[in-house]
Amino acid sequence: MSKHKKRPQAEAKPASGMATPVSNPQPEPLESVTRSGEEETDIGPVPMPGWQRRILWILFAFWAVLVAVGITYHEQWRDEGSDWTTVRHVNIRELFGTMIPQIGHPPMWYFLMYPLGNMGLPLVTVNIVSASVMALAIYFMLFRIRFPFYVKLLLVLSMFFVYEYPVVGRNYCLVVLFLMLTLWYYPKRFKSPLIYALIVVGLYNTHSMVFPMAFAMMLLFFWEMVERKQMHKKTLGAALMMLVGGGYLIPYMAIPGMKAVSDKLHITDHFGQFKTAIGNGLTIGGFESIPLDTMRLLAMLIFFAFVLLILPRLKVFAVFLCGTGGLIYLLTYKYIGQHRHDGLIMVEMLFVFGLAAFYKKDRMNLPLFRNFDTQRVLSILLAFMFFIQSYQGIGTVRYEVDSTYSDGKAAAQFLMDNNLEHKILVGHQSWAASAVLQFLPADCKMYWADTRRWGYFIQFDSLYLANQYRFDGDYAAMVAEQQFPDSLKNVVLVMSLPIEDPKLAQHWKPVYAGGIYAGDKPVKTQESFIIYTYQP
């Protein structure tokens, strides 16, 4: 009896005059980006229903409004203006030969700041640049990367994404952008390896604390280049580009930077520092009605649940261990970070979650948790974390509107209103007084009492590091009298510490008091100022 293959039935055609039904495009699951065999290489807009796209655009617009409001009310603190005042007064050779290794950040941020700072633009340019970079990063998260819709809804208003990285003008915005660019371009890493290598080199050069993550992504590329037998001119060139573009940072700035920090910093309670970093990065401060220790415990549970769920995807876990583990090591043993540093843990967790989607069917995966979808559980975990952070994000913008961030801007305005900005300005403590100098015209300078030298900006050299916290307020008045005995009537003391010696106080009279000295409590309380003039 002969066997015949059953022919597949032809697809039914619509009757004449009837429109062909068209279903709404559905977003592909994040996991479908990688299939068994060849990977997809499409990096175009993520397909999604129209109503989802409209909601995301509305949310994006709302994000932009919140950021604009935050920048409008924000008073820049010293770290935001430090790079700005530096690039205005040094040449390219001095900037890259001396200043960047001293400051401790890779060069990319300075490539952005240098031309802008020398165009005579105002200090708020720093914040506009940060917001623009973050806007591009948010666009990629919402429309070019296959995160689940509910994760996208919640991450936009995270405190780090709506305030800390776009409003406060620092180089952390570059970290977010280049991590998202790495995810976006990841499907084409072997089809266009040189472009992918440029992105990884960019990641290396965003911030010193993400060096371990960039290194991990480079190693993963090396491994898969051999595993997939992709050893050809383009991939070898890309490997060399990543090796050189990131490796030069080790002798250039990482070794001297870590040595300088280690010489002046001694962390004794490493586990306590670990809890603080995880708590700040994942739940920030949580809710007022819940104790801080409880929120930090919740953050620890989220973190270790994330680690456990990532474990089966062995390559991704290795990236997480090297990249985020390296970051946590720096924050636990080498540097006492603030929220902006600890928030990088959250950003890297989001990145690792996106990376895990490419390895659902990888042959090196461990046979664990096969009874449920780990990627879905991870997404719910992250969504819960972003829900907590969104509460903090909106609250932080509101607090920015109602409160003072730094007294530096108001103190500088007082100097300019009273024509004092071109007097002999003596700043003390220098790191604090630089928050005033950054708002003054570019030709203004200060005499730093603690290092006994003039400057348009702070030089982070050994003399500064040895003296930055060494002297009280009386010291600056004594230095002024010693250095400018014949010009005391033209001397103006810009002080973050009060004069307490009665003899000195007889001649040095306060003409301005701001911040904590005026009953206010700025976010940066150390940037509260008293301005003195000599009145014999």
Side-chain angles (χ1 to χ4, degrees), residues 260 263-264 428-431 450-451 453 458-471 475:
D263 287 345
K264 67 175 183 175
H428 185 71
Q429 298 161 293
S430 59
W431 51 266
D450 46 19
T451 56
R453 62 188 177 193
I458 294 291
Q459 294 185 49
F460 296 91
D461 56 12
S462 57
L463 179 61
Y464 166 79
L465 294 175
N467 292 293
Q468 58 179 326
Y469 301 113
R470 186 175 176 184
F471 305 110
Y475 177 78

mmCIF file of all heavy atoms in Angstrom, residues 260 263-264 428-431 450-451 453 458-471 475:
data_model
loop_
_atom_site.group_PDB
_atom_site.id
_atom_site.type_symbol
_atom_site.label_atom_id
_atom_site.label_comp_id
_atom_site.label_asym_id
_atom_site.label_seq_id
_atom_site.Cartn_x
_atom_site.Cartn_y
_atom_site.Cartn_z
ATOM 1 N N ALA A 260 45.317 57.128 44.815
ATOM 2 C CA ALA A 260 45.033 58.372 45.530
ATOM 3 C C ALA A 260 43.853 58.215 46.470
ATOM 4 O O ALA A 260 43.862 58.699 47.606
ATOM 5 C CB ALA A 260 44.759 59.499 44.525
ATOM 6 N N ASP A 263 44.818 55.947 49.468
ATOM 7 C CA ASP A 263 45.722 56.589 50.413
ATOM 8 C C ASP A 263 44.981 57.425 51.446
ATOM 9 O O ASP A 263 45.446 57.602 52.569
ATOM 10 C CB ASP A 263 46.732 57.467 49.673
ATOM 11 C CG ASP A 263 47.784 56.629 48.941
ATOM 12 O OD1 ASP A 263 47.887 55.432 49.249
ATOM 13 O OD2 ASP A 263 48.473 57.189 48.066
ATOM 14 N N LYS A 264 43.797 57.962 51.066
ATOM 15 C CA LYS A 264 43.090 58.843 51.998
ATOM 16 C C LYS A 264 41.803 58.226 52.533
ATOM 17 O O LYS A 264 41.110 58.840 53.337
ATOM 18 C CB LYS A 264 42.759 60.172 51.308
ATOM 19 C CG LYS A 264 41.729 60.048 50.178
ATOM 20 C CD LYS A 264 41.350 61.420 49.630
ATOM 21 C CE LYS A 264 40.281 61.298 48.551
ATOM 22 N NZ LYS A 264 39.799 62.615 48.079
ATOM 23 N N HIS A 428 37.668 79.498 51.086
ATOM 24 C CA HIS A 428 38.024 78.474 52.060
ATOM 25 C C HIS A 428 36.722 77.851 52.613
ATOM 26 O O HIS A 428 35.799 78.585 52.931
ATOM 27 C CB HIS A 428 38.829 79.076 53.211
ATOM 28 C CG HIS A 428 39.325 78.060 54.202
ATOM 29 N ND1 HIS A 428 40.326 77.168 53.895
ATOM 30 C CD2 HIS A 428 38.947 77.782 55.461
ATOM 31 C CE1 HIS A 428 40.562 76.394 54.942
ATOM 32 N NE2 HIS A 428 39.734 76.747 55.908
ATOM 33 N N GLN A 429 36.625 76.590 52.719
ATOM 34 C CA GLN A 429 37.508 75.561 52.192
ATOM 35 C C GLN A 429 37.434 75.571 50.671
ATOM 36 O O GLN A 429 36.372 75.794 50.117
ATOM 37 C CB GLN A 429 37.095 74.191 52.730
ATOM 38 C CG GLN A 429 37.206 74.107 54.273
ATOM 39 C CD GLN A 429 36.407 72.975 54.856
ATOM 40 O OE1 GLN A 429 35.182 73.018 54.784
ATOM 41 N NE2 GLN A 429 37.086 71.979 55.425
ATOM 42 N N SER A 430 38.556 75.319 50.027
ATOM 43 C CA SER A 430 38.627 75.550 48.585
ATOM 44 C C SER A 430 37.615 74.719 47.811
ATOM 45 O O SER A 430 36.984 75.207 46.871
ATOM 46 C CB SER A 430 40.043 75.269 48.084
ATOM 47 O OG SER A 430 40.446 73.945 48.364
ATOM 48 N N TRP A 431 37.445 73.459 48.208
ATOM 49 C CA TRP A 431 36.505 72.600 47.473
ATOM 50 C C TRP A 431 35.077 73.131 47.564
ATOM 51 O O TRP A 431 34.292 72.997 46.623
ATOM 52 C CB TRP A 431 36.567 71.165 47.989
ATOM 53 C CG TRP A 431 36.440 71.020 49.479
ATOM 54 C CD1 TRP A 431 37.461 70.952 50.382
ATOM 55 C CD2 TRP A 431 35.232 70.941 50.242
ATOM 56 N NE1 TRP A 431 36.970 70.838 51.660
ATOM 57 C CE2 TRP A 431 35.609 70.817 51.602
ATOM 58 C CE3 TRP A 431 33.886 70.937 49.921
ATOM 59 C CZ2 TRP A 431 34.681 70.713 52.642
ATOM 60 C CZ3 TRP A 431 32.945 70.834 50.937
ATOM 61 C CH2 TRP A 431 33.339 70.726 52.286
ATOM 62 N N ASP A 450 43.737 77.129 51.701
ATOM 63 C CA ASP A 450 44.306 75.867 52.197
ATOM 64 C C ASP A 450 45.513 75.391 51.399
ATOM 65 O O ASP A 450 46.352 74.648 51.900
ATOM 66 C CB ASP A 450 43.239 74.765 52.277
ATOM 67 C CG ASP A 450 42.382 74.682 51.034
ATOM 68 O OD1 ASP A 450 42.808 75.196 49.976
ATOM 69 O OD2 ASP A 450 41.279 74.109 51.108
ATOM 70 N N THR A 451 45.619 75.794 50.130
ATOM 71 C CA THR A 451 46.809 75.435 49.335
ATOM 72 C C THR A 451 47.703 76.635 49.043
ATOM 73 O O THR A 451 48.759 76.483 48.428
ATOM 74 C CB THR A 451 46.396 74.794 47.997
ATOM 75 O OG1 THR A 451 45.516 75.678 47.289
ATOM 76 C CG2 THR A 451 45.695 73.462 48.231
ATOM 77 N N ARG A 453 47.449 79.272 46.934
ATOM 78 C CA ARG A 453 47.720 79.549 45.523
ATOM 79 C C ARG A 453 46.449 80.054 44.849
ATOM 80 O O ARG A 453 45.327 79.776 45.296
ATOM 81 C CB ARG A 453 48.233 78.292 44.806
ATOM 82 C CG ARG A 453 47.256 77.137 44.774
ATOM 83 C CD ARG A 453 47.919 75.882 44.229
ATOM 84 N NE ARG A 453 47.002 74.728 44.251
ATOM 85 C CZ ARG A 453 47.401 73.477 44.068
ATOM 86 N NH1 ARG A 453 48.685 73.210 43.846
ATOM 87 N NH2 ARG A 453 46.525 72.488 44.099
ATOM 88 N N ILE A 458 39.829 74.048 40.785
ATOM 89 C CA ILE A 458 40.542 73.248 41.775
ATOM 90 C C ILE A 458 41.476 72.279 41.067
ATOM 91 O O ILE A 458 41.073 71.578 40.132
ATOM 92 C CB ILE A 458 39.558 72.444 42.655
ATOM 93 C CG1 ILE A 458 38.709 73.390 43.504
ATOM 94 C CG2 ILE A 458 40.304 71.467 43.553
ATOM 95 C CD1 ILE A 458 39.465 74.105 44.580
ATOM 96 N N GLN A 459 42.719 72.234 41.505
ATOM 97 C CA GLN A 459 43.664 71.228 41.028
ATOM 98 C C GLN A 459 43.687 70.077 42.039
ATOM 99 O O GLN A 459 44.048 70.285 43.196
ATOM 100 C CB GLN A 459 45.059 71.814 40.883
ATOM 101 C CG GLN A 459 45.173 72.872 39.798
ATOM 102 C CD GLN A 459 46.612 73.331 39.617
ATOM 103 O OE1 GLN A 459 47.515 72.510 39.506
ATOM 104 N NE2 GLN A 459 46.815 74.640 39.579
ATOM 105 N N PHE A 460 43.334 68.893 41.594
ATOM 106 C CA PHE A 460 43.231 67.744 42.495
ATOM 107 C C PHE A 460 44.585 67.029 42.624
ATOM 108 O O PHE A 460 44.696 65.840 42.342
ATOM 109 C CB PHE A 460 42.152 66.779 41.995
ATOM 110 C CG PHE A 460 40.773 67.373 41.998
ATOM 111 C CD1 PHE A 460 40.271 68.024 40.878
ATOM 112 C CD2 PHE A 460 39.986 67.300 43.136
ATOM 113 C CE1 PHE A 460 39.001 68.575 40.881
ATOM 114 C CE2 PHE A 460 38.712 67.858 43.149
ATOM 115 C CZ PHE A 460 38.214 68.504 42.024
ATOM 116 N N ASP A 461 45.591 67.790 43.053
ATOM 117 C CA ASP A 461 46.916 67.210 43.190
ATOM 118 C C ASP A 461 47.196 66.843 44.647
ATOM 119 O O ASP A 461 46.320 66.948 45.512
ATOM 120 C CB ASP A 461 47.974 68.171 42.648
ATOM 121 C CG ASP A 461 47.915 69.544 43.318
ATOM 122 O OD1 ASP A 461 47.213 69.688 44.340
ATOM 123 O OD2 ASP A 461 48.574 70.478 42.819
ATOM 124 N N SER A 462 48.422 66.421 44.937
ATOM 125 C CA SER A 462 48.767 65.948 46.279
ATOM 126 C C SER A 462 48.659 67.057 47.321
ATOM 127 O O SER A 462 48.275 66.807 48.474
ATOM 128 C CB SER A 462 50.178 65.353 46.294
ATOM 129 O OG SER A 462 51.129 66.305 45.845
ATOM 130 N N LEU A 463 48.977 68.301 46.953
ATOM 131 C CA LEU A 463 48.874 69.415 47.894
ATOM 132 C C LEU A 463 47.428 69.640 48.312
ATOM 133 O O LEU A 463 47.128 69.834 49.505
ATOM 134 C CB LEU A 463 49.445 70.690 47.258
ATOM 135 C CG LEU A 463 49.383 71.968 48.108
ATOM 136 C CD1 LEU A 463 50.186 71.792 49.391
ATOM 137 C CD2 LEU A 463 49.875 73.173 47.303
ATOM 138 N N TYR A 464 46.530 69.606 47.327
ATOM 139 C CA TYR A 464 45.103 69.769 47.631
ATOM 140 C C TYR A 464 44.594 68.626 48.503
ATOM 141 O O TYR A 464 43.900 68.848 49.499
ATOM 142 C CB TYR A 464 44.305 69.850 46.329
ATOM 143 C CG TYR A 464 42.823 69.685 46.527
ATOM 144 C CD1 TYR A 464 42.050 70.739 46.985
ATOM 145 C CD2 TYR A 464 42.194 68.459 46.261
ATOM 146 C CE1 TYR A 464 40.686 70.589 47.174
ATOM 147 C CE2 TYR A 464 40.842 68.306 46.450
ATOM 148 C CZ TYR A 464 40.084 69.371 46.911
ATOM 149 O OH TYR A 464 38.742 69.216 47.105
ATOM 150 N N LEU A 465 44.933 67.388 48.134
ATOM 151 C CA LEU A 465 44.435 66.231 48.877
ATOM 152 C C LEU A 465 44.922 66.238 50.327
ATOM 153 O O LEU A 465 44.215 65.795 51.233
ATOM 154 C CB LEU A 465 44.880 64.935 48.187
ATOM 155 C CG LEU A 465 44.270 64.678 46.800
ATOM 156 C CD1 LEU A 465 44.883 63.431 46.173
ATOM 157 C CD2 LEU A 465 42.761 64.540 46.878
ATOM 158 N N ALA A 466 46.120 66.762 50.552
ATOM 159 C CA ALA A 466 46.672 66.786 51.908
ATOM 160 C C ALA A 466 46.035 67.865 52.779
ATOM 161 O O ALA A 466 46.030 67.747 54.012
ATOM 162 C CB ALA A 466 48.177 66.996 51.848
ATOM 163 N N ASN A 467 45.462 68.915 52.179
ATOM 164 C CA ASN A 467 45.006 70.072 52.952
ATOM 165 C C ASN A 467 43.508 70.365 52.857
ATOM 166 O O ASN A 467 43.036 71.306 53.503
ATOM 167 C CB ASN A 467 45.763 71.327 52.512
ATOM 168 C CG ASN A 467 47.227 71.274 52.881
ATOM 169 O OD1 ASN A 467 47.596 71.297 54.048
ATOM 170 N ND2 ASN A 467 48.085 71.193 51.870
ATOM 171 N N GLN A 468 42.751 69.589 52.079
ATOM 172 C CA GLN A 468 41.370 69.979 51.797
ATOM 173 C C GLN A 468 40.479 70.045 53.035
ATOM 174 O O GLN A 468 39.531 70.822 53.083
ATOM 175 C CB GLN A 468 40.764 69.034 50.758
ATOM 176 C CG GLN A 468 40.759 67.571 51.149
ATOM 177 C CD GLN A 468 40.117 66.697 50.079
ATOM 178 O OE1 GLN A 468 39.177 67.109 49.405
ATOM 179 N NE2 GLN A 468 40.626 65.492 49.913
ATOM 180 N N TYR A 469 40.748 69.237 54.065
ATOM 181 C CA TYR A 469 39.934 69.270 55.288
ATOM 182 C C TYR A 469 40.759 69.676 56.517
ATOM 183 O O TYR A 469 40.324 69.487 57.647
ATOM 184 C CB TYR A 469 39.330 67.881 55.548
ATOM 185 C CG TYR A 469 38.450 67.376 54.431
ATOM 186 C CD1 TYR A 469 38.842 66.270 53.666
ATOM 187 C CD2 TYR A 469 37.241 67.990 54.126
ATOM 188 C CE1 TYR A 469 38.037 65.798 52.637
ATOM 189 C CE2 TYR A 469 36.441 67.528 53.101
ATOM 190 C CZ TYR A 469 36.848 66.426 52.362
ATOM 191 O OH TYR A 469 36.050 65.960 51.347
ATOM 192 N N ARG A 470 41.901 70.232 56.310
ATOM 193 C CA ARG A 470 42.869 70.382 57.390
ATOM 194 C C ARG A 470 42.630 71.604 58.283
ATOM 195 O O ARG A 470 42.889 71.559 59.492
ATOM 196 C CB ARG A 470 44.274 70.453 56.788
ATOM 197 C CG ARG A 470 45.394 70.456 57.802
ATOM 198 C CD ARG A 470 46.732 70.410 57.082
ATOM 199 N NE ARG A 470 47.845 70.513 58.006
ATOM 200 C CZ ARG A 470 49.120 70.574 57.636
ATOM 201 N NH1 ARG A 470 49.423 70.525 56.339
ATOM 202 N NH2 ARG A 470 50.071 70.683 58.544
ATOM 203 N N PHE A 471 42.124 72.720 57.727
ATOM 204 C CA PHE A 471 42.133 73.989 58.454
ATOM 205 C C PHE A 471 40.715 74.483 58.745
ATOM 206 O O PHE A 471 39.784 74.244 57.968
ATOM 207 C CB PHE A 471 42.891 75.056 57.662
ATOM 208 C CG PHE A 471 44.290 74.651 57.297
ATOM 209 C CD1 PHE A 471 44.628 74.366 55.974
ATOM 210 C CD2 PHE A 471 45.270 74.530 58.270
ATOM 211 C CE1 PHE A 471 45.918 74.003 55.626
ATOM 212 C CE2 PHE A 471 46.563 74.143 57.941
ATOM 213 C CZ PHE A 471 46.889 73.877 56.613
ATOM 214 N N TYR A 475 41.812 80.043 59.945
ATOM 215 C CA TYR A 475 43.040 79.916 59.153
ATOM 216 C C TYR A 475 42.984 80.801 57.909
ATOM 217 O O TYR A 475 43.984 81.453 57.554
ATOM 218 C CB TYR A 475 43.240 78.453 58.754
ATOM 219 C CG TYR A 475 44.444 78.206 57.880
ATOM 220 C CD1 TYR A 475 45.721 78.163 58.429
ATOM 221 C CD2 TYR A 475 44.308 78.016 56.506
ATOM 222 C CE1 TYR A 475 46.834 77.945 57.627
ATOM 223 C CE2 TYR A 475 45.410 77.792 55.693
ATOM 224 C CZ TYR A 475 46.669 77.754 56.256
ATOM 225 O OH TYR A 475 47.762 77.543 55.464
#
